[in-house]
Amino acid sequence: MASVRRVLSAVAVNSVFLLLLAGLTVQEGEQIPAQNVPVQQVQRVQQQQQQLPVQGQLRQQVPQGQQAQVQRVQAYNAVPQQNIQQNAAMQPQIPNQPLQPNVPVQQNLAANPPNVLAPLNNAGQQNAPLGQVQSINQQGNPLDLAGGGVGGFAGGLGDGGEDFRDQGQLDLQPLPGKVADIIDRNKKLVQKVQNVKNEGRLPEVPKIPPRARNDPQMKMKLDGIPPKLAAPAAANQRSGGKGHMRIADNLACREDVQRLCAHNVRTNNFAILDCLQNDRPKDDDLSPDCHHFLWDYKRNLTKDIRFDQAAYEVCKEPLAKLPECSKLETGQGLVISCLMDHKGNISNQQCHQFLVKMTSIVFSDYHLVENFVKDCTGDIQKFQCGRVSSRDEEHIHSQGVVINCLEKNIAGGERMSRPCRMQLFRIAELSADDYHQDRALYFACRDDRERFCEKITAGEGKVLKCLVQHKFEHDMSDDCREKLIIRQRLVSQDYKVNYGLAKKCKEDIKHYHCRVDNMPEGKFAKLSFILLCLENAIQKGRQVSGDCQGEMFDMRRQLMSDFQISPEIVLNCRKEIEDLCSGLQKEGRTIHCLMQNGMDDSKTAQNRLSKTCMIAVQSLVKEADAGFDYRMDVALQDACEPVVQTACKDIKPGDAMILSCLMEHLYTPSMVVECEEKLLELQYFISRDWRLDPRMYRKCAKEAERLCNAGPEWNDTNDNLPPGIVFSCLYRHVYRKDETKLSHACAFEVRRVMHQRAVDVRLNPMLEKACLRDLGEYCSENVEKGEEMHCLQDNFKNLSKQCSERVGNFTQMSSQDLDLDRIFMMSCAPMIKRYCKDIVDKEEDDGALLQCLIDNKNEHEMNKKCAAGIMHMQLIQLKDYRFSFKFKEACKSDVVKYCRNIKNKADLVNCLSEIVRNDTLMENKHKISKDCRGQLRVELLDRGEDVRLDPKLMQECNRDIQQFCDKEQIGDARILECLKRHKKKLSDGCHVKLFNREREELTDNSVDYGFMRDCKPMVKRFCPQSDPKEVLHCLRKNKNNEFMDERCKKAITQRQIEQAEDYRLDVELQKKCKKDVPKFCRDILAESRSTELEGRVIGCLKAKVGKNRLSPQCEDHIKELMREAAIDYRMDPQLAQGCKEEMTSWCSEEMTNPDTGSVEECLKKKFSEKKITSKMCQTQVLRLLQEGKADIHVDPLLHQSCALDIKHYCAGIPAGEGRQMSCLLEALEDRTVHLQRDCEEKLKSRVEMWEYAAKVAPPETFNELMVQMSASPARNYFVGVICGAVFIILCLGVLTGRMTKRVRAEQKNR
C-alpha cells in the first residue's frame, strides 16, 4: 500500500507539472512582445518554415479538426505588422546569415539564435516564436511519465532532494483505478500536443465556458484557487494544452549538451539541467549563451503565474491551513516562497514532493529567490560580493558565488542589514536537505563527496553531515573545508539550516516552546538558543526524542571541534586567536588554546583573554554542554581515550560519569599529561557554571533556586551571579542541621563535585579570583601540580585579607571533609584502607578520619608521603582553631567565654589547657566543658608528637635542637625526648618552655605522646579502668611486675625522674601535700623559679618525715618517693647533683644499672672508706644513711638482704621511725639470734657507716643531734645520761634556792 500511495502521489505531481510546463510557452491570447523579438529574426524564421518540406508533410498528417484548431492558434499568434516595424528600430541589428539548403533547421538556427523565452509579464502572458517552437523538438516529444520532456521534472519522483543517480526511475506499470485513468489521459494529451506541434502550431487554450464553471468536478478542482488563476487552471484541466521546449534542442546549449550529457538524458530537461550544472567537470565551462539561456529558462519558470497555479493545485490542503500564504499576491513567486518557508510543517506528500522539485530550480540562482536582490543589493556592494544590476555580466553560477561571499561575511560577524541576513538564512534553510542546492558548496565538494561519502544517498542533509564528519581529514580539499565551515556558521545562526536538527527536533522544539516571537534575529532562531532550550528540557528530566538528542550531539560536537563555526568566537576572539593560537584550527585545538589562555595566569595575575572573548568561550562551553558527555569535546576525547579505556572502561560510553571518572584520576599514575591538560582546561570553564554538571543540576536545581537565588531554568542567563557563587552556597548548606540542609541526593552530588574540583585551586572560581596575586607571589615556583592550596595554607599569615578569608573557609570545610584535599587522600588511600577502614565507610566525615591517621602516623608501615600530608594538616590547623572541625565544634562556647580574643589554635590550646590544669590541681569543678576537655587532650597529645606543632616551643628551642638533636628524626616525640635529656644544657627560654610542656604531660598523662606510645599496651593490661589522666600512678604500682613491658618500664622511670625534680610535676604530691608545702617550705617557694627546683621542695618534705609534722597523706607519699629514690639515684636530684663527680669517678660501672640501688651503695662504701671529700656529696650520703636508719625500706639492699630476718624476728613491728632497724640491731647484738649471713654483714657495715658519719659530720643543730641519738644503738645510754643530768640540775636548783632565800616564819604566817 505504501508503494501504491507513493506512485499515486508521484503520478499526480507529474501530471500537474505536465499541465504546467507544457503551457509555459503559449497561452490563450498571448502575443510576442515586440521589444523582445528582433524583426529580422522573425522574418527569417517564417521563411525557413515555408521552405521546409517536412512541415508540409506534418501538416498533412494533422486531422481536419485539429487543423482548424491550429488556424485559431495562428490567429492568436499573428503579430501586427506595424508593431514589428516599430520595434525594428529599437532592436540591435543581428547580422543575418543565409540559410543553407539541405541543412537541418537546428544548424540554421544556431547561426541565427532566436531570443528564447523572453521574460513573462505579470499576467503570465508569453508567446514563443513559432519558428523556435518548431525547431525545439525535431526529434519528437516523448512526454511520458518517466520524465521525458519538460513535464518530467527530474525523471521519476522520489523523496525530497535526492540525487538523480541515487534513485531509480519509477516502474509505472498499468495500475487499476485512478492511476490507470490518469496515465491514459496523459498519454492522450501528450499525443494530441505532439500532433499539433508537428503542424507548427500550439493548441488553443480556451477560456472557461459557463458550463465548465457549473461542472461539480471542475468546481471542486477550482475551489480555493484565486479568480485570476481559475481560467488558466480550467483551461489546462479541460484541454491539457501545452507547449514544449527541450533544452537539448536549443541552439545556445545544444553543443554543451552533446558534449557533457549522456544521450539517454537529453529528452529530460531537468536531467539536462542537473548534467550541465552539477555533473560537468570543474574545468569544463558552458558557453555564455547557454548560461544566459539556462538563467532565462529557470527565471521564467519561477516568475510565471502558472507556478502559483500549480501550487494551488497540488498544495490545496496545506494552503487552506496557511492563510499567510494563500493571501499573497500571485505571479511574483510569493506563494511558492511562502510554502517553502513552511515546508517543514507540510505533511502532504504530494505538496512536499512538489516543493522539493521547486528547490532544484529556485536555489540555482539568487535572482530566483523572493526579494533577495532587493534586500541584498546594498550588502553585495558593501562587501564587494559582485554585481546584480546587469545580467550580461553574470558568469557561471555567479549567483552562488555572491551568496557564498555574503555567507562568509555574515558568518564572520560582519554587520549586515537585517533583511539581507534574513534572506540568506531563508536560502540556507530551504537548501538544508540537499547539498546540491548550495551551489558553491556542491562545486567545491564534488570530489570530496566521491572520496568520503560515495555510498551516502543524497537528501535529508545526509551528504552534508558526512562531509562535516570528514572535515579535518587530510585528504579533504581546502575549498570544500572552507565551504563547510561557512555552512556550519550559518547553522549556528539559524538552526533550520541544519536539516536533520530542524526535522528531528521539530516536535520537541514545538513542545517545549523553544521558538518565541521575541527571540534574537526575529524568526530565525540561533542554534545556541535551540540547544540550550532543548538541553534545559533534558536536564529537567523531560522527554526529548532519541533522534533529536542524536542531532544535538552532532551539533555540540561540531561546535567544540572547530572555532570557525561559532560566530561569537570568530568575532570576539579574533585577536587572541591570531596572537596566541594561530595554526591550531583542527579538531578543537584552537578552542582549547583559548581555554588555556582563559585560565588566569598566577604569575602575572591577569587573564590573557579579553572579557568579551572570555564570555564567548564560556557560552560555547555551555552550548556544547561538554559536561554532559566528554565526547562533545573532540580534543578531550582524543587526549583521554587511553585513560577512559583503562580507568573508566566499566562506564557506559556517553555517560556523564566518564568525565567524573577522569577527574577522580587527575594527578594519578593512570593519567596522561595531554589528557590532564585538556581536562583541566574544560573543567576550568565548567566550574564557573554549576549547571554544567548534569548530575548535580538534576538533583539540586530546586534547592539552588530556593536557597541560593539561582535561576529556575537550566538555560537561564539572567541571574547575573558571580562565577561559582551558587555552588559555594550549596556546599555551605551540605552540613547544616536546620531546615536549610540539602537533601541527601543533592548533598551527595555537591560533595562529589567539590571533591573532584578540590584537586586544583583554579577550579574554585571564587578562591582563585581572591588569591590570584598571592598565588603568583608565593606559589608560582617550585610548587607541584595540585599543591597550590597547600602552598596558600603554608603562607596563610602572609596572604591578603581577601585571599586568607577564602583559604580559611576552604580549610574549615576540608577539616570536616578530608576528601577535599585530593592530593592528601590519594597519598593516604592505602593507609586509610589499612588503619581507618571503618571510619572512611561513613558517609559524613566529622574529622575522625584525620585523627585516625594522626594516631597511626608513626606506624612502621606508614607511607612517608601520607605522613607528610598528615603533618601538613596538623600544622595548618594550628593557624586558626576553626580549621580543626572537631575542636571548633567542641570548644567554641568555651573559647568565647574564656579566650575570646585568641584565634591561633596553639595559643588557644595553651589558654584552655591552663584553665583545665588549675581546676585539676585545685580540685575545683571544671569550667571547661567535658567535650572541650576531651578535644584538648587530643590536641595536646598530637602536639607532643612533634615539636613543630608547638610553634612557641619550636621558636625558643630551634638553636638547641640544632645543637643537641640534629641527628634525631623529627616526629614520634623524638625531638622532645632529646630536649629532655639535655635540659640542663638548654637555653633559658627553651628550658622554660620544656618545663611547661612537662607540667602539661604529667598533669594529664593522656597527652604525653611518648609515654602513651610506649605504654599503651600496658595501660590496657594493668589500668583499663583508670582515668587516662592518672595512668602513670597506676603503672608505677605495677612497674616491677614480671609482665611489665621493658619499654614502658623505662618510660615510667623517666617520668618519675622528672617528677622528682620538681613537686609541681607531681600532681598527686601537690594534692596530698598542698597544705604542707607552703607551711614547711615557704623559703624555697619564695624563689619563684620557672624551671625545676631540683627536688628541694621534696627534700624539705623528706626532712619532716617521722616527726609527726606532715599530714598523714603527705608523709605516706613522701616515704613512697624516698623508697623509689633509694633504688634509683636519678629520682633523687639532690644526690645526683651533689655527687655527680664522685659517681662518675668511682661508680661509673654501677651507673650502667641505675635502678638497682647499686650507685647509692657505692657512694656509701666510698663514704665509709673516707674517699668522699666533697662537703655537698658527704651531706647527701649522710642523708641517705639517716633515711635508711629511720626506715629500712629506704635502704633497698639492706632490706633485700634482711627480708627473711625481718619476717622472722620483727614480724610484729611496724615499718617506719627506725623500729624495724632497731629490732635488727638488737638481734645483731643478741648472740642467741642467728641472722642471715648477708643480713648480718650488711648490718655491721651500716653500723660502721653510722659511727663514721657521726664523727665526720657531727650534728650541727639540736635537731640533728636528737636525730643521731635516736638512731644510735646507745640511745638508751644517752637517754639515761641526759635524764641523770637533768635530775642533778634539778636537785641543785632546789638546794640553792633554799639557802639563798630564807624567809622568816612570822612573815610566812602574816
Side-chain angles (χ1 to χ4, degrees):
M1 291 303 294
S3 61
V4 172
R5 285 196 298 269
R6 182 176 180 181
V7 171
L8 285 172
S9 175
V11 171
V13 174
N14 255 333
S15 299
V16 172
F17 279 107
L18 286 171
L19 294 173
L20 171 64
L21 296 177
L24 278 173
T25 307
V26 179
Q27 281 292 348
E28 178 185 6
E30 293 177 346
Q31 296 180 355
I32 302 176
Q35 66 274 19
N36 291 327
V37 184
V39 176
Q40 297 87 342
Q41 180 177 338
V42 173
Q43 294 174 348
R44 184 164 59 253
V45 171
Q46 289 176 347
Q47 292 174 1
Q48 292 174 354
Q49 292 172 352
Q50 295 173 0
Q51 295 173 0
L52 289 174
V54 78
Q55 294 180 8
Q57 296 173 3
L58 292 174
R59 187 178 295 110
Q60 294 175 0
Q61 297 174 4
V62 178
Q64 183 176 0
Q66 292 196 6
Q67 290 182 4
Q69 188 179 25
V70 170
Q71 293 175 357
R72 288 195 299 270
V73 173
Q74 290 176 340
Y76 288 131
N77 292 334
V79 181
Q81 187 67 28
Q82 61 270 23
N83 290 342
I84 297 176
Q85 294 174 355
Q86 292 174 1
N87 292 326
M90 301 174 58
Q91 295 297 327
Q93 296 299 318
I94 300 176
N96 295 328
Q97 298 180 8
L99 297 175
Q100 302 295 327
N102 302 322
V103 177
V105 177
Q106 291 88 340
Q107 296 181 10
N108 283 309
L109 290 179
N112 297 277
N115 184 18
V116 296
L117 287 178
L120 294 167
N121 57 26
N122 289 336
Q125 303 299 317
Q126 171 65 37
N127 195 5
L130 184 57
Q132 178 182 341
V133 173
Q134 292 173 331
S135 64
I136 286 175
N137 216 359
Q138 292 297 321
Q139 297 179 2
N141 182 24
L143 273 173
D144 55 49
L145 290 178
V150 179
F153 249 65
L157 292 170
D159 292 337
E162 285 85 348
D163 194 344
F164 299 122
R165 62 192 163 194
D166 295 328
Q167 61 184 16
Q169 303 293 330
L170 285 176
D171 184 13
L172 297 180
Q173 300 297 330
L175 298 173
K178 290 186 176 182
V179 177
D181 295 341
I182 291 173
I183 294 175
D184 183 61
R185 185 168 65 250
N186 284 336
K187 287 183 177 180
K188 292 179 180 179
L189 176 62
V190 169
Q191 184 61 43
K192 182 178 179 181
V193 172
Q194 182 64 48
N195 293 337
V196 175
K197 283 187 176 182
N198 290 337
E199 290 293 327
R201 299 293 181 180
L202 292 178
E204 176 185 12
V205 182
K207 295 183 178 180
I208 303 175
R211 59 177 181 171
R213 297 180 183 276
N214 298 328
D215 182 15
Q217 183 177 4
M218 178 64 68
K219 195 170 185 180
M220 178 185 68
K221 292 182 178 295
L222 298 178
D223 185 26
I225 299 178
K228 68 185 298 183
L229 295 181
N236 276 319
Q237 179 68 24
R238 292 176 60 245
S239 68
K242 58 180 71 179
H244 178 61
M245 175 187 297
R246 292 195 305 180
I247 298 175
D249 297 331
N250 180 261
L251 298 178
C253 293
R254 183 172 56 191
E255 292 183 1
D256 296 303
V257 171
Q258 292 175 354
R259 186 178 74 256
L260 300 174
C261 301
H263 181 78
N264 60 347
V265 301
R266 294 178 186 176
T267 59
N268 186 316
N269 278 356
F270 286 92
I272 293 176
L273 279 176
D274 185 61
C275 166
L276 295 179
Q277 295 181 111
N278 301 334
D279 292 338
R280 64 181 174 80
K282 288 185 178 180
D283 55 352
D284 195 349
D285 199 359
L286 302 178
S287 66
D289 289 338
C290 187
H291 280 303
H292 291 312
F293 172 76
L294 295 179
W295 186 89
D296 278 332
Y297 181 83
K298 293 182 290 184
R299 183 172 184 273
N300 287 333
L301 289 181
T302 55
K303 300 296 289 186
D304 191 87
I305 192 172
R306 278 158 291 188
F307 262 77
D308 289 344
Q309 168 192 320
Y312 277 96
E313 181 70 22
V314 179
C315 299
K316 175 181 177 182
E317 180 182 350
L319 280 170
K321 299 178 181 179
L322 297 170
E324 63 268 28
C325 296
S326 60
K327 295 179 181 179
L328 293 173
E329 181 182 0
T330 56
Q332 300 295 323
L334 300 179
V335 177
I336 297 293
S337 178
C338 180
L339 286 172
M340 288 183 178
D341 284 343
H342 295 84
K343 186 172 68 172
N345 298 324
I346 294 176
S347 58
N348 184 282
Q349 188 176 8
Q350 293 184 10
C351 182
H352 189 273
Q353 291 174 344
F354 171 76
L355 295 176
V356 168
K357 293 297 180 182
M358 286 297 300
T359 59
S360 64
I361 301 174
V362 174
F363 301 113
S364 293
D365 199 305
Y366 71 92
H367 288 284
L368 310 182
V369 181
E370 172 206 356
N371 295 326
F372 182 84
V373 175
K374 179 181 68 176
D375 291 339
C376 290
T377 299
D379 295 289
I380 292 171
Q381 295 175 353
K382 174 181 177 182
F383 299 111
Q384 298 182 351
C385 288
R387 297 169 57 191
V388 296
S389 58
S390 175
R391 189 188 66 178
D392 294 334
E393 299 178 2
E394 298 292 341
H395 297 290
I396 175 172
H397 297 296
S398 60
Q399 55 273 24
V401 177
V402 173
I403 291 175
N404 183 252
C405 175
L406 291 175
E407 289 176 343
K408 283 184 180 179
N409 285 278
I410 191 175
E414 298 290 347
R415 292 191 174 183
M416 186 175 293
S417 65
R418 183 180 180 82
C420 187
R421 289 169 64 90
M422 296 178 69
Q423 290 297 330
L424 286 173
F425 288 147
R426 179 175 174 273
I427 294 171
E429 285 181 13
L430 298 178
S431 62
D433 58 343
D434 190 352
Y435 88 112
H436 295 84
Q437 298 161 20
D438 188 330
R439 308 308 300 166
L441 175 66
Y442 172 75
F443 281 109
C445 296
R446 280 185 298 177
D447 294 340
D448 300 283
R449 196 255 197 213
E450 297 298 332
R451 185 180 302 114
F452 299 109
C453 309
E454 180 181 3
K455 297 181 180 180
I456 304 298
T457 58
E460 298 184 355
K462 295 177 183 178
V463 175
L464 182 60
K465 179 183 289 189
C466 172
L467 290 171
V468 168
Q469 292 173 351
H470 294 84
K471 186 173 67 174
F472 291 115
E473 295 285 345
H474 178 73
D475 295 335
M476 174 69 72
S477 65
D478 294 336
D479 192 21
C480 180
R481 184 181 294 113
E482 179 185 359
K483 297 303 185 296
L484 289 172
I485 291 172
I486 293 173
R487 185 76 184 182
Q488 289 178 294
R489 289 179 185 175
L490 294 176
V491 173
S492 68
Q493 298 197 52
D494 181 7
Y495 82 98
K496 282 190 173 182
V497 178
N498 184 294
Y499 179 84
L501 182 69
K503 179 179 179 180
K504 295 181 180 179
C505 294
K506 174 183 173 182
E507 295 300 325
D508 297 295
I509 291 172
K510 180 179 179 181
H511 181 72
Y512 296 116
H513 308 289
C514 294
R515 296 203 61 187
V516 294
D517 295 335
N518 60 350
M519 68 170 57
E521 301 298 329
K523 73 177 199 174
F524 297 104
K526 283 190 174 183
L527 175 67
S528 61
F529 185 90
I530 298 299
L531 289 179
L532 292 175
C533 177
L534 292 175
E535 187 62 32
N536 179 64
I538 295 173
Q539 297 291 351
K540 292 287 186 180
R542 300 166 186 165
Q543 186 67 31
V544 174
S545 67
D547 290 341
C548 180
Q549 291 193 46
E551 293 295 330
M552 291 172 63
F553 174 87
D554 291 339
M555 289 311 305
R556 295 200 296 255
R557 186 175 171 88
Q558 291 175 26
L559 288 172
M560 287 298 293
S561 65
D562 190 354
F563 79 96
Q564 298 177 89
I565 69 177
S566 175
E568 291 80 6
I569 295 290
V570 173
L571 177 64
N572 297 309
C573 299
R574 183 175 301 166
K575 186 176 185 303
E576 289 84 352
I577 292 173
E578 292 176 355
D579 295 342
L580 305 172
C581 307
S582 59
L584 300 173
Q585 288 85 359
K586 293 184 178 181
E587 298 177 349
R589 286 184 290 176
T590 301
I591 294 175
H592 269 276
C593 174
L594 292 173
M595 289 181 177
Q596 181 182 11
N597 288 279
M599 300 171 73
D600 293 325
D601 189 347
S602 59
K603 293 184 178 180
T604 61
Q606 293 180 352
N607 191 315
R608 296 182 182 180
L609 301 187
S610 64
K611 184 177 181 180
T612 54
C613 181
M614 192 74 176
I615 294 174
V617 175
Q618 181 70 45
S619 300
L620 176 64
V621 173
K622 184 168 185 178
E623 292 167 18
D625 194 19
F628 183 81
D629 189 343
Y630 91 108
R631 295 176 300 175
M632 307 293 181
D633 191 337
V634 180
L636 177 66
Q637 183 183 16
D638 293 343
C640 294
E641 193 63 24
V643 183
V644 173
Q645 294 299 327
T646 55
C648 312
K649 60 183 179 181
D650 295 330
I651 303 176
K652 181 181 177 181
D655 196 315
M657 281 302 296
I658 291 183
L659 198 60
S660 179
C661 173
L662 289 174
M663 285 299 297
E664 290 173 358
H665 288 84
L666 196 64
Y667 299 144
T668 64
S670 59
M671 178 60 64
V672 295
V673 176
E674 188 178 2
C675 176
E676 181 180 287
E677 294 173 352
K678 297 294 186 291
L679 184 60
L680 279 175
E681 290 162 5
L682 177 63
Q683 282 292 334
Y684 180 85
F685 287 88
I686 290 179
S687 65
R688 275 139 182 83
D689 190 343
W690 73 280
R691 292 167 290 200
L692 296 184
D693 188 290
R695 293 178 57 196
M696 180 172 66
Y697 179 79
R698 292 179 184 178
K699 301 295 184 181
C700 300
K702 294 182 179 179
E703 286 160 298
E705 182 181 358
R706 176 172 60 91
L707 301 172
C708 305
N709 298 320
E713 301 296 333
W714 182 85
N715 57 341
D716 190 358
T717 58
N718 299 320
D719 46 22
N720 296 321
L721 296 175
I725 189 68
V726 174
F727 181 71
S728 297
C729 169
L730 288 172
Y731 192 81
R732 286 197 301 272
H733 287 82
V734 168
Y735 297 103
R736 293 283 181 89
K737 302 299 182 183
D738 53 15
E739 65 277 0
T740 63
K741 182 177 180 180
L742 299 182
S743 65
H744 177 80
C746 178
F748 177 83
E749 293 300 329
V750 172
R751 283 196 295 267
R752 174 187 62 82
V753 174
M754 192 65 179
H755 295 164
Q756 293 172 359
R757 295 180 183 175
V759 72
D760 197 298
V761 69
R762 292 170 295 182
L763 303 184
N764 189 329
M766 301 187 71
L767 188 146
E768 187 207 27
K769 182 179 179 181
C771 297
L772 196 56
R773 293 187 179 275
D774 300 275
L775 284 167
E777 183 174 356
Y778 303 111
C779 309
S780 59
E781 298 179 357
N782 301 322
V783 177
E784 295 183 5
K785 294 180 180 180
E787 297 283 353
E788 293 86 358
M789 177 56 70
H790 287 182
C791 173
L792 290 174
Q793 291 172 335
D794 291 337
N795 294 277
F796 182 75
K797 291 185 177 180
N798 301 322
L799 300 180
S800 62
K801 182 178 179 181
Q802 195 175 23
C803 181
S804 63
E805 181 180 354
R806 294 293 179 189
V807 174
N809 291 339
F810 180 86
T811 308
Q812 288 187 57
M813 293 187 295
S814 62
S815 69
Q816 186 176 6
D817 188 354
L818 205 56
D819 284 319
L820 291 181
D821 194 333
R822 283 284 305 282
I823 301 298
F824 173 76
M825 290 299 289
M826 287 189 290
S827 301
C828 293
M831 303 299 102
I832 292 173
K833 186 176 181 180
R834 177 186 292 270
Y835 299 113
C836 313
K837 185 177 181 180
D838 296 338
I839 298 175
V840 78
D841 290 339
K842 294 181 180 178
E843 184 176 345
E844 294 186 5
D845 178 15
D846 57 356
L849 179 58
L850 178 60
Q851 190 57 51
C852 172
L853 290 172
I854 291 173
D855 294 341
N856 296 276
K857 183 171 68 171
N858 295 291
E859 293 292 335
H860 180 70
E861 296 84 359
M862 176 58 67
N863 184 320
K864 290 184 179 180
K865 195 169 183 179
C866 178
I870 296 171
M871 189 67 222
H872 166 80
M873 297 292 290
Q874 292 179 282
L875 292 173
I876 292 305
Q877 291 182 352
L878 290 177
K879 299 179 185 296
D880 194 315
Y881 81 96
R882 295 171 300 175
F883 296 168
S884 177
F885 175 74
K886 295 191 75 173
F887 181 80
K888 179 189 71 173
E889 292 297 312
C891 297
K892 56 185 176 183
S893 60
D894 300 290
V895 171
V896 172
K897 189 180 295 185
Y898 302 109
C899 308
R900 181 185 298 272
N901 297 322
I902 301 176
K903 296 295 183 183
N904 183 279
K905 183 180 176 183
D907 295 339
L908 194 61
V909 168
N910 289 336
C911 172
L912 294 173
S913 61
E914 185 176 356
I915 296 173
V916 172
R917 184 175 64 248
N918 292 337
D919 290 339
T920 300
L921 296 176
M922 301 303 295
E923 298 183 336
N924 295 330
K925 182 179 179 180
H926 282 290
K927 300 174 185 176
I928 305 302
S929 64
K930 182 178 179 181
D931 291 341
C932 185
R933 292 200 308 272
Q935 196 59 37
L936 272 174
R937 292 193 191 100
V938 174
E939 298 298 333
L940 291 170
L941 178 65
D942 296 342
R943 190 170 72 173
E945 185 268 337
D946 197 316
V947 292
R948 292 174 295 179
L949 299 179
D950 191 341
K952 291 188 176 181
L953 185 145
M954 187 66 184
Q955 182 179 0
E956 293 289 346
C957 298
N958 191 34
R959 291 186 178 181
D960 301 277
I961 292 172
Q962 293 178 3
Q963 183 177 357
F964 303 113
C965 309
D966 61 326
K967 295 183 179 180
E968 295 286 346
Q969 292 184 357
I970 201 163
D972 203 24
R974 285 183 286 266
I975 299 296
L976 193 62
E977 295 297 329
C978 173
L979 291 174
K980 289 178 180 180
R981 292 195 300 268
H982 296 85
K983 62 181 171 182
K984 302 299 182 183
K985 304 175 184 179
L986 300 179
S987 60
D988 293 340
C990 181
H991 197 172
V992 171
K993 293 296 182 183
L994 186 63
F995 176 72
N996 291 333
R997 172 63 68 85
E998 290 176 335
R999 289 187 67 183
E1000 292 173 356
E1001 294 175 345
L1002 293 170
T1003 300
D1004 187 346
N1005 305 141
S1006 64
V1007 304
D1008 188 341
Y1009 182 86
F1011 176 74
M1012 296 303 295
R1013 174 198 62 200
D1014 295 336
C1015 294
K1016 188 175 182 179
M1018 298 300 100
V1019 170
K1020 293 181 179 180
R1021 176 186 288 271
F1022 298 110
C1023 312
Q1025 304 299 325
S1026 299
D1027 188 336
K1029 297 184 299 181
E1030 301 175 353
V1031 291
L1032 177 59
H1033 180 67
C1034 170
L1035 291 175
R1036 283 167 61 178
K1037 296 178 179 179
N1038 297 277
K1039 178 180 176 181
N1040 297 311
N1041 191 289
E1042 60 178 334
F1043 297 108
M1044 175 60 69
D1045 180 71
E1046 193 65 29
R1047 188 179 179 186
C1048 179
K1049 187 175 182 179
K1050 290 181 180 180
I1052 296 170
T1053 301
Q1054 183 61 37
R1055 299 307 179 267
Q1056 288 179 290
I1057 294 171
E1058 293 173 8
Q1059 289 180 326
E1061 292 178 344
D1062 198 306
Y1063 81 102
R1064 291 171 292 183
L1065 302 179
D1066 191 336
V1067 177
E1068 190 175 2
L1069 185 146
Q1070 291 183 76
K1071 291 180 180 179
K1072 293 181 177 180
C1073 301
K1074 83 179 162 180
K1075 294 181 180 180
D1076 302 273
V1077 171
K1079 181 178 179 180
F1080 301 108
C1081 309
R1082 186 179 298 109
D1083 296 339
I1084 301 174
L1085 297 179
E1087 296 182 13
S1088 182
R1089 292 181 59 178
S1090 299
T1091 56
E1092 296 85 354
L1093 296 173
E1094 304 295 342
R1096 291 195 294 160
V1097 172
I1098 297 177
C1100 169
L1101 295 175
K1102 287 180 179 179
K1104 303 300 185 287
V1105 174
K1107 299 178 181 179
N1108 295 324
R1109 301 183 67 182
L1110 297 177
S1111 61
Q1113 289 181 342
C1114 181
E1115 186 163 346
D1116 291 341
H1117 186 72
I1118 295 298
K1119 287 179 178 179
E1120 184 177 352
L1121 294 180
M1122 292 168 65
R1123 294 167 184 167
E1124 291 173 349
I1127 299 174
D1128 194 332
Y1129 75 96
R1130 294 171 299 176
M1131 298 181 193
D1132 190 341
Q1134 291 179 313
L1135 175 66
Q1137 187 67 26
C1139 298
K1140 183 177 181 180
E1141 295 181 0
E1142 287 78 6
M1143 285 189 290
T1144 305
S1145 301
W1146 297 310
C1147 307
S1148 58
E1149 184 176 350
E1150 287 79 2
M1151 288 177 68
T1152 57
N1153 296 305
D1155 57 349
T1156 59
S1158 57
V1159 175
E1160 290 88 341
E1161 190 67 21
C1162 172
L1163 288 174
K1164 291 174 183 178
K1165 288 181 179 180
K1166 298 303 178 183
F1167 176 77
S1168 62
E1169 294 173 358
K1170 302 178 183 181
K1171 291 183 179 181
I1172 295 178
T1173 58
S1174 168
K1175 184 69 173 176
M1176 185 180 295
C1177 184
Q1178 287 178 353
T1179 303
Q1180 295 303 321
V1181 175
L1182 285 172
R1183 178 179 59 81
L1184 286 178
L1185 293 171
Q1186 292 171 1
E1187 291 174 355
K1189 287 175 66 175
D1191 188 350
I1192 194 175
H1193 293 87
V1194 180
D1195 193 338
L1197 295 181
L1198 178 62
H1199 182 267
Q1200 183 179 0
S1201 300
C1202 299
L1204 293 177
D1205 296 298
I1206 292 173
K1207 187 177 181 181
H1208 184 69
Y1209 299 110
C1210 307
I1213 300 174
E1217 298 181 4
R1219 288 187 287 266
Q1220 289 185 345
M1221 183 62 74
S1222 299
C1223 174
L1224 288 175
L1225 291 174
E1226 290 178 357
L1228 180 62
E1229 294 178 355
D1230 190 347
R1231 296 184 179 274
T1232 60
V1233 175
H1234 299 282
L1235 299 175
Q1236 295 291 326
R1237 183 180 180 83
D1238 190 30
C1239 178
E1240 183 177 354
E1241 290 178 356
K1242 287 285 193 301
L1243 280 174
K1244 289 179 180 180
S1245 175
R1246 292 296 183 268
V1247 171
E1248 292 176 0
M1249 290 179 186
W1250 292 332
E1251 290 176 354
Y1252 177 74
K1255 295 176 182 180
V1256 174
E1260 297 178 356
T1261 63
F1262 180 75
N1263 291 334
E1264 291 180 359
L1265 177 62
M1266 295 301 296
V1267 169
Q1268 289 186 9
M1269 290 175 61
S1270 61
S1272 174
R1275 62 178 176 274
N1276 294 332
Y1277 169 77
F1278 293 134
V1279 172
V1281 172
I1282 293 173
C1283 291
V1286 171
F1287 178 76
I1288 293 172
I1289 293 172
L1290 179 61
C1291 292
L1292 290 173
V1294 172
L1295 180 60
T1296 303
R1298 286 289 180 179
M1299 291 175 62
T1300 59
K1301 290 189 177 182
R1302 288 182 179 275
V1303 181
R1304 295 181 182 272
E1306 54 275 13
Q1307 291 180 345
K1308 273 180 162 178
N1309 297 324
R1310 188 182 295 177

